[in-house]
Amino acid sequence: MSLLSTRRLSLAYDGTPVITNLDLAIPAGKITALVGPNGCGKSTLLRGLARLLKPCAGTVYLDGTDIFKRSTKAVAKRLGILPQSPVAPEGLTVRDLVAQGRYPYQNWLQQWSKDDEILVEKALLITGITQLADRVLDTLSGGQRQRAWIAMALAQDTEILLLDEPTTFLDLAHQVEVLDLLYELNQSEGRTIVMVLHDLNQACRYANHLVAVRQGQLYTQGEPMQVVTEAMVREVFGLECRIVPDPVAGTPMCVPMGRWVRELPPENQSADPVRNDKFK
């Protein structure tokens, strides 16, 4: 089952094609990671899925309907997006930011309600930042700020969450913190999560479904065990590697073969890089 899908989708910036003729179905209730090299079209595809970029050909479907035939507020009640490096007005508190997620439910007849208050408090609680609610956003650490932005998306109360590189500019501990949070949201509430990730190993650990994009086209998609192979990494990323089992999660783990490794004398290279046949 798919709540969000594309059919022969093409996207462009200023007439320059970025995504071409792409068919995609996002599995409902799962975590999907979009992976691929810089400039391949991952973020552009996410913007197309979020109705932020109009197709030059093809269609994005939300609940089986052309997403551009639905009103902005109707889409915002089904789908939330966290762009890369979002910017908030100076001096905004965490609570004020999270409250912005309730905008799709406001109109001149219905202003702030008890339900809005409950959902804002719930979003603060889920993301573990209740104690930061009155802090100014600019005074928080990178990981705390990212949690606040995720809380805003949660307050929007949508079944689908789209995130563009949610771990960008975060140190390793904060990257894991944010990814753990998204994983817990998926597990506890069944939210459909789609995120652009640069780290292939993190994508394998946290996602149920991978979409590999190469030069604006779908190269392959499926479970990490099926998608992540040495051939895929070579053809999509232009990188020689070894795929071995992650010693903690058991998922595929990409070990890059840099030039210095390839130039080592054969006797200094590992004869058996702890490979498992199912990853070949």
Side-chain angles (χ1 to χ4, degrees):
M1 180 182 175
S2 177
L3 305 176
L4 190 62
S5 61
T6 70
R7 176 65 176 165
R8 305 182 74 84
L9 178 67
S10 293
L11 300 166
Y13 286 118
D14 298 325
T16 302
V18 179
I19 295 291
T20 55
N21 201 31
L22 190 145
D23 291 342
L24 179 65
I26 302 297
K30 304 291 185 182
I31 298 178
T32 295
L34 307 181
V35 300
N38 290 340
C40 71
K42 303 184 299 296
S43 293
T44 300
L45 174 57
L46 197 77
R47 286 175 57 80
L49 292 174
R51 196 175 174 269
L52 298 178
L53 183 61
K54 192 168 185 177
C56 51
T59 309
V60 176
Y61 293 99
L62 177 62
D63 300 324
T65 303
D66 184 341
I67 197 170
F68 278 90
K69 292 183 178 179
R70 304 179 68 162
S71 71
T72 299
K73 282 199 171 184
V75 171
K77 291 178 181 180
R78 295 287 294 126
L79 183 154
I81 182 166
L82 180 59
Q84 186 182 154
S85 305
V87 178
E90 190 174 342
L92 200 69
T93 67
V94 170
R95 190 185 302 278
D96 289 340
L97 175 70
V98 177
Q100 297 299 308
R102 300 305 299 160
Y103 168 76
Y105 303 89
Q106 310 296 310
N107 56 53
W108 68 279
L109 286 176
Q110 180 180 334
Q111 298 299 314
W112 192 257
S113 69
K114 184 63 177 177
D115 285 345
D116 295 326
E117 189 69 33
I118 289 171
L119 284 164
V120 167
E121 293 302 322
K122 180 182 177 183
L124 290 167
L125 181 64
I126 289 173
T127 52
I129 56 172
T130 301
Q131 74 281 7
L132 303 175
D134 297 321
R135 290 267 302 273
V136 174
L137 197 65
D138 292 341
T139 67
L140 304 184
S141 70
Q144 290 171 333
R145 279 198 302 273
Q146 198 69 324
R147 279 180 173 267
W149 284 104
I150 292 172
M152 184 193 73
L154 292 181
Q156 199 171 325
D157 197 28
T158 62
E159 188 173 348
I160 306 170
L161 283 175
L162 308 181
L163 304 102
D164 191 357
E165 299 184 32
T167 58
T168 297
F169 306 127
L170 299 181
D171 62 35
L172 186 56
H174 285 125
Q175 289 177 30
V176 172
E177 177 184 318
V178 167
L179 291 171
D180 279 348
L181 171 61
L182 295 172
Y183 178 81
E184 289 159 10
L185 286 171
N186 169 261
Q187 292 294 298
S188 63
E189 301 190 2
R191 303 217 187 200
T192 300
I193 295 175
V194 185
M195 54 184 173
V196 173
L197 283 180
H198 272 301
D199 191 312
L200 189 57
N201 293 332
Q202 288 183 345
C204 288
R205 271 197 175 191
Y206 286 94
N208 313 105
H209 189 81
L210 293 189
V211 175
V213 181
R214 181 182 69 171
Q215 296 178 350
Q217 296 185 318
L218 177 66
Y219 176 82
T220 186
Q221 64 177 318
E223 296 180 0
M225 197 76 74
Q226 301 168 331
V227 169
V228 180
T229 65
E230 292 172 11
M232 185 280 282
V233 175
R234 182 185 309 114
E235 294 177 22
V236 171
F237 293 90
L239 177 69
E240 293 295 334
C241 73
R242 294 291 181 265
I243 302 298
V244 301
D246 184 313
V248 175
T251 51
M253 185 171 74
C254 175
V255 181
M257 295 281 288
R259 186 173 60 196
W260 71 272
V261 174
R262 297 197 303 271
E263 291 178 353
L264 285 175
E267 62 270 18
N268 290 344
Q269 296 186 28
S270 174
D272 181 6
V274 201
R275 296 183 64 181
N276 186 313
D277 286 344
K278 65 185 175 182
F279 295 117
K280 290 182 180 179

